Amino acid sequence: MKLLINAQEKNIEHSNLAQLVQDLGYERPVVIAVNHVHILRSQWESYTLYENDSVDVLMAIVGG
């Protein structure tokens, strides 16, 4: 399935949001938006991704 992840086209083999985040290897807490809609972490396990969805993965960066 083709997705747009952080503005880069990628092919993935699954349609579960939690599995996608795990496969992408994010270790820090992240916030996910699918098609510009924030998806709560409690919904990741049950959230189904579809062909051509746009997934934005955001994380806080501290510095100064």
Side-chain angles (χ1 to χ4, degrees):
M1 170 172 46
K2 183 177 70 173
L3 296 176
L4 192 63
I5 302 174
N6 289 342
Q8 295 181 354
E9 191 174 295
K10 294 190 180 197
N11 288 308
I12 63 165
E13 295 185 16
H14 44 74
S15 61
N16 177 278
L17 182 57
Q19 185 64 46
L20 173 67
V21 173
Q22 182 179 348
D23 288 353
L24 292 174
Y26 289 102
E27 295 179 11
R28 296 186 206 182
V30 295
V31 174
I32 304 289
V34 178
N35 300 322
H36 306 289
V37 176
H38 173 242
I39 308 300
L40 297 174
R41 185 177 299 271
S42 62
Q43 297 173 323
W44 289 5
E45 284 292 331
S46 62
Y47 194 90
T48 301
L49 297 165
Y50 297 96
E51 183 82 19
N52 297 315
D53 273 350
S54 175
V55 179
D56 295 307
V57 183
L58 308 166
M59 66 180 79
I61 298 176
V62 179

